[in-house]
Amino acid sequence: MEKTTQEQVLLNHFAKYKTITSIEAFELYGITRLSARIYDLRERGHKIGMVWEESVNRYGTPVRYGKYFIEKTKGK
C-alpha cells in the first residue's frame, strides 16, 4: 500500500475545505512545516495563495497568521 504524502493530504484538504492554516495542518494531520509543504506544491505548479488573518490568542494578545488556499484559474 502506497503511503499518502503530506502534499497529497493538503490537496485533498483544499478540495474539501478550501483553506488551511498552520494550526489546522498540525492538529488535523501532524504537518509541522506547512509553509514548506506549500512551497513544494508551488514548485510542482499548484497555484496557492495566502491571506493574512488577525485574531487574539488565548492570552489576549493580537496575532496574525496565514490562511492558504488554491487560487482559482480562469474557466473553473
Side-chain angles (χ1 to χ4, degrees), residues 1-67:
M1 185 167 142
E2 188 174 321
K3 183 179 177 185
T4 303
T5 65
Q6 290 183 344
E7 290 85 4
Q8 189 58 53
V9 167
L10 289 172
L11 290 173
N12 293 342
H13 181 92
F14 283 130
K16 187 171 183 179
Y17 300 106
K18 309 299 182 215
T19 66
I20 194 164
T21 65
S22 59
I23 194 73
E24 291 169 334
F26 179 71
E27 289 178 345
L28 295 171
Y29 310 113
I31 297 173
T32 57
R33 297 186 60 226
L34 177 60
S35 62
R37 299 297 71 80
I38 295 297
Y39 175 87
D40 294 341
L41 288 170
R42 287 174 174 159
E43 286 292 302
R44 289 169 177 68
H46 295 279
K47 303 290 185 194
I48 301 175
M50 192 268 296
V51 294
W52 288 106
E53 298 280 322
E54 295 182 3
S55 186
V56 176
N57 69 15
R58 63 182 165 208
Y59 304 109
T61 306
V63 294
R64 278 185 1 147
Y65 57 92
K67 183 180 278 191

